[in-house]
Amino acid sequence: MHTLNLIKNDSFLAPYEKIIVARHEKALNKEKTLIAGSKSLNDFASGYLYFGLHKEANCWIFREWAPNATAIFLVGNFSGWKPMENFALHPLEKGIWEIRLPLETLKHGDLFRLFVQWKKGSGDRIPAWATRVVQDEKTLIFNAQVWDPAEKYIWKNKWLNPKERVPFIYEAHVGMSGEEEKVSSYQEFTEKILPWIGDAGYNVIQLMAIQEHPFYGSFGYHVSSFFAPSSRFGTPEDLKRLIDKAHELGIAVVMDLIHSHAVKNEVEGLGLFDGTPYQYFHENSRREHPAWGSLCFDYEKNEVLHFLLSNCKYWLEEFHFDGFRCDGITSMLYLDHGLSRNFTDYKMYYDGQEDEDAFVYLTLANKLIHEVRPDAITIAEEMSGMPGTASPFSDGGLGFDYRLAMGIPDYWIKTIKEIPDEKWNVGSLYYELTNKRKDEKTISYVESHDQALVGDKTVIFRLIDKEMYTCMDLNSRNLVVERGIALHKMIKLITIATAGNGYLNFMGNEFGHPDWIDFPRSGNKWSYKYACRHWHLATDENLKYKFLLKFDKAMIKLMRDENCLNVPEIQLLNENVPDKILIFRRGELIFIFNFNPSKSFQHYAFKAGHGKYKVVLSSDAKEFGGQERIDQSMAYYTGRIGTEAEIDSQFLKLYIPCRTACVLKKQPVRQVYDLLKVKKSNGHN
């Protein structure tokens, strides 16, 4: 048996080789089954071109898969919203139903549904493959909509290749991206937020809540219509224009893809589509997610795989997304959804409590995505640490390009919440930030949307709390605010400096947005007050938010310009736990952190490598709200230190103020020896 690279790279996996190989072979066998009669997985995953409503040269054609149905009718304006025989679908084979209608029957904008009958009941349903679903503002009823605009969208810009770049990701939600207390639109996002993101230096946008969801407050995670871009933000053309404009600005766009579960709704969703609870989902106790109140897909069924794989291809082909951030991977991988264990031992990854069919689906999804778009990227939201999540399928992995380093934000929140910063252990901090699997690429981050929701707090709010509402103007002097701003910059910088292979920021956190996120709900009287972003705070010259924004921009620019995250090795130069000093090198840069709350150090010495260095970023710079204690104009040269017997000339000495971070870069030096060589070659002695 040929040993897979996943096992070669990690000797602790050797006892589980049979399980890993069996999963690998199961995926290969399932792929063979699925593509029987097709040329490839790409050809197989084209269900959206067959199912749903399509306009052909001489008719409309509609198809749906509903194996338990006894009759299906198309209902809408054209039928008086009643089931009529001339709008009845006809059964084909394998549970597929079809109807063909004259072109004049339907027109752009018409609303429709399905009326599905089964042996013991009937009900209205939104088509499973609907690509346009709208909600009536007064009745709140959802319907599918015929979408056939006279002018088709013409793409102006080519797809980007996100694999050619280190991803600096800006996680964003279109609806809450505006200043006004309302649902913002794709168009407003394109006009106002895209330029902001480009100016901030981020090169990838991760768009949340794109797939249609009945409850706005679910943040887009309880999906009902998997093929329909949410109409509450605008039209499909508006979304295409957003992505096209992002590409023009050199920004790739990845979509938050929800295939880990589905909303329970029966009319709008797939909950009881053909009268059975198990058409798309598991039966009995496995059907409902115990923590999320949603439904769990049955990944063993070929028809479910066809639906979900086709969904992956649809968003790539139809909307030119550059990849996906795949949600809830941990929930998919384990029969208990990862809720009943802490994953402190490798045995917990291979104890028979894994959903092997979910492994197969995720493997095939990654393979398909890269077949359709070889340059697309996939990011796994996986918190258990399952080995191989972001390893190539050929090595025995699931095939994701990246995994989110989800332990890092948890570590920061726990540290800030439970330990005063005067007791922070820089050794523990460095270990937590750099403890990653070497054979997998990771995206590091301080906080995502999870930490910004009501019930939690952002890092800046945990650091400053209520003082943010009274002491963020320039004329206020407040020790809590000064501490919070200083630590916020340091936390961001050390996280990005130690990041595996990419970095993520949630919308507004780059300038320390003060408010949490609370979507309209009965508990807040359906208010939009906390479902928007106050961008003006960061551009107000009289407020301190501008310092955090300027620092974030400078930090992102430096990391992009120096291409640091393409350098895998981080060299620890100095770790002094009592002093709370941490110094390390990555690529051409040296990162220096003094987490000491009160003690500054004069002539602090550390071994750096012979040469001349300059400060290229200082958290203490005046433009970032600092005290300007670090002189960025001067050059720092290595010097000699030690006893007469052991003199080492590779040490740097510099002033490191308390609660500051700075970055040094080695500068080119014309050596005296080289000048003498030149003179000698010209005949000078």
Side-chain angles (χ1 to χ4, degrees), residues 156-170:
K156 299 176 180 64
N157 300 285
K158 294 181 179 179
W159 275 300
L160 293 181
N161 185 346
K163 285 189 175 175
E164 291 180 344
R165 63 186 65 196
V166 170
F168 293 91
I169 303 172
Y170 197 88

Side-chain angles (χ1 to χ4, degrees), residues 42-101:
N42 191 349
D43 294 319
F44 168 78
S46 298
Y48 63 94
L49 299 175
Y50 179 80
F51 290 107
L53 182 66
H54 298 281
K55 188 178 185 180
E56 297 193 345
N58 57 356
C59 71
W60 289 96
I61 186 167
F62 178 88
R63 298 187 187 95
E64 191 67 72
W65 175 63
N68 189 57
T70 56
I72 302 178
F73 299 88
L74 212 61
V75 298
N77 302 322
F78 43 82
S79 71
W81 293 99
K82 295 178 181 178
M84 298 174 64
E85 281 304 316
N86 53 329
F87 293 104
L89 277 68
H90 307 290
L92 303 178
E93 57 181 1
K94 299 180 180 178
I96 298 172
W97 297 75
E98 177 186 278
I99 187 173
R100 295 173 185 265
L101 296 168

